[in-house]
Amino acid sequence: MAKGERIIVALDVNTIEDLESLVDKLRPVVKIFKIGSELFTSCGIEAVDVVRRKGCKPFLDLKYHDIPNTVMKAARAATKQNVYMLTLHTIGGLAMMKKAVKAAREEAARLQTAAPLILGVTILTSLDKKDIQAIGIKGPLDEEVLRLVKLAEKAGLDGVVASAQEILAIRKAVEKDFLIVVPGIRPSWSQKSDQKRVATPKEAMDMGADYLVIGRPITAEEDPQAAAERIIEEIKD
Ligand code: C5P
C-alpha cells in the first residue's frame, strides 16, 4: 500500500462546498476521506457521493450502536452506498457485530462490489478511568479495551479504531491482518488543539498503525496538500 493511502483525512466540515474544496485540494495525495456525524447530519449521503465522484474512498464514521437487526440493516445500507470503511461500537455486542459483518458481505456479493471494511470503536479515548467506572465498567481501561478488541476480532470485524497508546498491546493480541486505525495524530510541527494523548505520524506507524486519521493538522493548514505531503514524507520508511 502506498504511504499516501495510509492517511485518512477527517472532513470535519458541515457544507458540501467546504467538503469539495478540501477534497479537491487533497485528492492528488490522499485517497480516503472520513465523513463523521457532523458532516453526515448536515449534508447526508451526498457527502459520501461527492467523495466517490471525486475518485476517492469514503469512510463513514457514524459509530453504529443499536440492536443487532438495526445495525445489520445500517451496514447493508452503507454497503449499497459503496462506502469503503465504516465504524460501529464494539460495546454493542458480539451478535450485533457479527450480523453487521454478514450483512455487509452478503450485500457486497449480491452487488458484486467490495464489502466495506468494518472497524470497531472500543472505549472512546475521551473517557478516563472515572468515566468508565461511572457507566459501570469496572476493569482497568487497557484491559477493557483489549477485551473489546478480541470480541471484535471474534465477530469478524476487519479492525479497530484505537489511540496510539493502545497500538502495541493490540498488535500483540490480534492476528497480523487485523487493522488498527489511529486518530489523535499530531506531527511535531503542528498544534495539539484539544487532543491529549497524541503521537506523531511516524511514531504511530512505527508502533504498528495501518491507517492514520488526521484532521486539523492537514485541514487547518493554509496549504493542506503540502501538509499531507510533509506527513507522507515523514512516514515514508
Ligand atoms: O483534527 P483531528 O486530527 O483532531 O481530528 C481527528 C478526527 O478523528 C476527528 O474526526 C475525531 O472525531 C476523530 N476521532 C478522534 N479520537 C477518537 C476517535 C475519533 O479524534 N478517539
Side-chain angles (χ1 to χ4, degrees), residues 10-34:
L11 295 171
D12 292 324
V13 294
N14 55 27
T15 67
I16 291 292
E17 292 71 37
D18 288 347
L19 176 167
E20 287 200 280
S21 154
L22 270 175
V23 176
D24 284 339
K25 285 180 193 149
L26 286 164
R27 67 180 167 164
V29 290
V30 173
K31 296 295 164 225
I32 311 174
F33 291 91
K34 184 171 88 69

Side-chain angles (χ1 to χ4, degrees), residues 3-4 7 29 189 201-202 205 225-237:
K3 295 294 175 197
I7 292 183
V29 290
W189 39 267
K202 182 150 178 29
M205 294 302 285
Q225 183 179 337
E229 280 173 336
R230 194 167 167 187
I231 292 169
I232 293 165
E233 187 60 31
E234 284 177 19
I235 61 172
K236 219 169 65 187
D237 307 316

Side-chain angles (χ1 to χ4, degrees), residues 3-228:
K3 295 294 175 197
E5 290 181 27
R6 297 200 177 238
I7 292 183
I8 299 170
V9 170
L11 295 171
D12 292 324
V13 294
N14 55 27
T15 67
I16 291 292
E17 292 71 37
D18 288 347
L19 176 167
E20 287 200 280
S21 154
L22 270 175
V23 176
D24 284 339
K25 285 180 193 149
L26 286 164
R27 67 180 167 164
V29 290
V30 173
K31 296 295 164 225
I32 311 174
F33 291 91
K34 184 171 88 69
I35 295 150
S37 302
E38 183 195 4
L39 178 55
F40 192 82
T41 305
S42 305
C43 302
I45 204 67
E46 195 185 348
V48 169
D49 291 340
V50 170
V51 169
R52 271 279 174 218
R53 272 207 305 276
K54 290 188 179 289
C56 301
K57 298 172 177 178
F59 171 7
L60 189 61
D61 183 24
L62 296 181
K63 299 185 177 67
Y64 299 135
H65 181 188
D66 211 313
I67 58 171
N69 189 55
T70 301
V71 172
M72 172 188 86
K73 288 180 178 167
R76 187 182 293 147
T79 307
K80 272 196 192 123
Q81 299 296 339
N82 210 0
V83 309
Y84 179 65
M85 286 173 159
L86 65 85
T87 48
L88 46 73
H89 271 285
T90 54
I91 225 149
L94 189 64
M96 185 202 83
M97 290 191 274
K98 273 185 165 171
K99 279 198 172 222
V101 170
K102 187 165 179 274
R105 293 194 182 145
E106 281 175 3
E107 189 64 18
R110 196 180 70 77
L111 298 170
Q112 297 184 307
T113 57
L117 295 170
I118 303 190
L119 305 170
V121 175
T122 57
I123 308 267
L124 289 171
T125 47
S126 52
L127 304 177
D128 63 15
K129 203 168 166 228
K130 236 174 89 194
D131 296 320
I132 67 161
Q133 276 172 356
I135 54 173
I137 301 174
K138 302 275 181 258
L141 237 166
D142 47 353
E143 277 176 28
E144 296 295 343
V145 168
L146 276 186
R147 191 174 48 76
L148 291 166
V149 166
K150 295 295 288 176
L151 198 65
E153 193 177 35
K154 187 173 170 191
L157 261 56
D158 298 285
V160 286
V161 180
S163 79
Q165 279 66 26
E166 294 158 357
I167 301 173
L168 290 175
I170 294 174
R171 252 301 147 244
K172 267 195 234 155
V174 295
E175 294 294 328
K176 244 176 133 179
D177 59 354
F178 194 74
L179 301 172
I180 306 179
V181 176
V182 183
I185 299 296
R186 287 294 175 270
S188 53
W189 39 267
S190 78
Q191 302 232 331
K192 265 173 86 176
S193 321
D194 53 355
Q195 294 280 15
K196 288 181 192 137
R197 292 181 290 145
V198 297
T200 67
K202 182 150 178 29
E203 283 165 351
M205 294 302 285
D206 286 347
M207 284 189 281
D210 294 290
Y211 293 95
L212 308 178
V213 176
I214 310 179
R216 289 159 292 178
I218 292 178
T219 56
E221 287 290 306
E222 214 167 272
D223 185 344
Q225 183 179 337

